[in-house]
Amino acid sequence: MLCGSRLAAVVTDIEGTTTPIAFVKDTLFPFAETALDGFLDTHGQDPQVLAIIVAVRAEAPGEDPRKALRRWMAEDAKVTPLKSLQGLIWAAGYADGRLKGTLYPDVAPALRAWARAGLRLCVYSSGSVAAQKLLFGHSSAGDLTPLFHGYFDTRIGAKRERTSYTAIAAGLNLPPAEILFLSDIAQELDAAAEAGLATCQMLRPDDGTTASGRHPTAADFAAVALLHGLPKGY
């Protein structure tokens, strides 16, 4: 555990926390939607893609898989098969340079400082683990994946369910009170707090998030560090 802090780990959301909502909404999602048909036409027989289509049919029985995927995209549904397929599509975009993960400028310095200080860093996002690794591996600040201890997505549970955070704490083999969860979504923070985690709501000015009044707030990761006695990174 960090000297001067009771925290042993930080679990961070992505959208609205490390990354502007606009990047996800205006870059990643449209990229996946535009590339969907071509990707399925080209990779539809790949084992990973076949497994995803089987999962789509299980989630939306009787519906054409492509229609179901587009419907989920329009609804911004947190459905694991969709997130997995989006991750594969984004992987192609990151690999050929069409995509670059956007981070707020305060994020990478803080993450590096926290990792150096011994904190276990993890990501918990509704986007697939593969998508998380792509964003941080091809980020505007370089490859940050060596900083992270673990990644969690909807396979561990929904982000607004207490049991998901209990499972994360168990997976880290840490008392919940030694884990800080960062997110812009109050309901996610509520669930984390119910599980005993420390919480902080990110209020990024660019994203216009409204404070819930139920959790400590911070405008950037330097403010998070100040609140919790962590290194600032700069």
Side-chain angles (χ1 to χ4, degrees), residues 2 7 13 21 24 28 84 86 127 146 174 180 187 194 220:
L2 270 173
L7 296 174
D13 174 47
I21 291 173
V24 179
L28 288 184
S84 298
Q86 286 174 324
L174 288 173
L180 172 64
Q187 294 87 344
E194 288 174 12
D220 55 30

Side-chain angles (χ1 to χ4, degrees), residues 58-119:
E59 291 273 357
E63 188 173 2
D64 176 78
R66 296 193 188 202
K67 288 184 178 179
L69 288 163
R70 291 196 178 281
R71 174 172 59 81
W72 290 336
M73 286 179 175
E75 296 169 354
D76 191 19
K78 313 302 183 186
V79 184
T80 298
L82 170 63
K83 296 301 178 183
S84 298
L85 184 63
Q86 286 174 324
L88 294 179
I89 294 172
W90 294 331
Y94 284 115
D96 63 21
R98 288 176 292 164
L99 290 174
K100 181 73 73 174
T102 299
L103 301 176
Y104 283 109
D106 55 276
V107 170
L111 292 177
R112 291 186 175 113
W114 298 347
R116 285 195 301 268
L119 273 170

